[in-house]
Amino acid sequence: MKFYAIIPAAGLGLRFGGDTKKQFLKLHGRTLLEHTLERFHSVGIFEKIVVCLPSDELQVVNATNSFPATLFIEGGATRAESVYRGFKALNLQDDDLVLIHDAVRPLVSSELILNVV
């Protein structure tokens, strides 16, 4: 059994407003997405983490990726489509486990992640 995570981050943040998409807002010098990725990487159990991004952000994030075992892909028009694309990007076996977590919820604890697993 292997563990994977899919982090949908392709939203436009229209309800939130502003010029910057929510997942790229800075909190203590890092984006919300970076904080979320740090939480998942700190657990140390994930074979791969797939992040689904807006197409216009993909090149920038790929160029600055400092997270090992993280795959950035183009997300879909909806959260469901992004998650579907995330699943397609993984080579899953029947007993693998995939967690799905919203990119703009960076305060998830390592304990909660492990409890869910």
Side-chain angles (χ1 to χ4, degrees), residues 5 16 22 50 67 103 106:
F16 189 76
K22 235 183 335 186
V50 177
F67 293 99

Side-chain angles (χ1 to χ4, degrees), residues 20-102:
T20 304
K21 295 173 183 130
K22 235 183 335 186
Q23 61 273 40
F24 300 110
L25 288 174
K26 299 262 179 151
L27 176 67
H28 296 288
R30 304 199 76 190
T31 66
L32 291 179
L33 175 58
E34 288 172 309
H35 285 287
T36 299
L37 282 171
E38 281 178 1
R39 295 294 177 126
F40 274 79
H41 279 286
S42 72
V43 175
I45 64 169
F46 294 101
E47 185 79 17
K48 185 169 288 186
I49 298 174
V50 177
V51 181
C52 309
L53 293 170
S55 60
D56 62 332
E57 303 287 348
L58 202 52
Q59 186 175 5
V60 173
V61 173
N62 270 325
T64 60
N65 178 20
S66 61
F67 293 99
T70 303
L71 175 63
F72 294 95
I73 65 167
E74 184 176 341
T78 65
R79 181 180 316 272
E81 186 179 347
S82 290
V83 170
Y84 175 73
R85 288 181 181 192
F87 272 102
K88 283 180 54 174
L90 295 170
N91 184 23
L92 299 172
Q93 303 301 310
D94 288 342
D95 64 343
D96 291 339
L97 181 69
V98 180
L99 274 65
I100 300 168
H101 184 79
D102 193 321

